[in-house]
Amino acid sequence: MRAIAIVRQDHSGKGVQAEVDSLHTLARRMRLELSARDIHIAGDLAVLLAHLSSAKSDVVLVPSERHLRGWMDTVRRIADVWTAEPPMCWPRGSGRPYSITRPGRHLEGDLHQRAGSESYDEWRGR
């Protein structure tokens, strides 16, 4: 899955580089593709969000929910939103947020939703 990262300078409590490092760590742990050119350090989020719709990413990584405060619903129309602290996923659309604690958890959730009422193991065994 391809990801982009957003770090707001005005919300970086630990410092911008520490926030970027936490997103790299999350991406590696969760097996996401995150290239250096897909890390955006922003002051003006509105300009960046205009670019986001053309980025064709599955996941937007942010250090914490406060980096998208007021914009979460807008971003969720385009991609899943994952936070490094705490490690959470806000699914695309309006699904309920859930903890992302291990690699593959996000994929299991997607597969279970696609399978409808079947269990994940039943669907995977087809």
Side-chain angles (χ1 to χ4, degrees):
M1 289 176 44
R2 185 166 181 265
I4 67 166
I6 298 173
V7 177
R8 288 189 53 188
Q9 292 173 320
D10 57 338
H11 286 60
S12 292
K14 295 187 243 177
V16 172
Q17 190 56 50
E19 303 278 32
V20 169
D21 292 345
S22 72
L23 297 178
H24 274 295
T25 300
L26 177 62
R28 270 192 310 274
R29 192 179 90 227
M30 301 308 288
R31 301 180 185 129
L32 296 174
E33 297 174 32
L34 179 64
S35 70
R37 73 170 197 272
D38 289 328
I39 298 172
H40 304 279
I41 300 168
D44 185 3
L45 199 55
V47 172
L48 179 60
L49 293 180
H51 164 73
L52 181 63
S53 61
S54 66
K56 297 184 180 174
S57 292
D58 302 301
V59 177
V60 174
L61 300 174
V62 291
S64 67
E65 184 182 2
R66 74 177 181 270
H67 285 254
L68 290 180
R69 188 148 297 142
W71 293 96
M72 180 69 83
D73 291 339
T74 301
V75 175
R76 287 178 69 189
R77 285 186 210 130
I78 301 164
D80 293 344
V81 174
W82 291 14
T83 56
E85 190 57 43
M88 297 286 295
C89 172
W90 281 262
R92 184 179 314 209
S94 60
R96 198 174 104 169
Y98 59 87
S99 177
I100 49 174
T101 56
R102 68 182 199 284
R105 161 73 163 88
H106 53 283
L107 298 175
E108 290 173 17
D110 289 345
L111 292 174
H112 183 68
Q113 285 179 339
R114 290 182 199 134
S117 61
E118 297 175 340
S119 74
Y120 170 69
D121 290 330
E122 290 171 334
W123 187 84
R124 188 178 64 178
R126 284 193 214 173

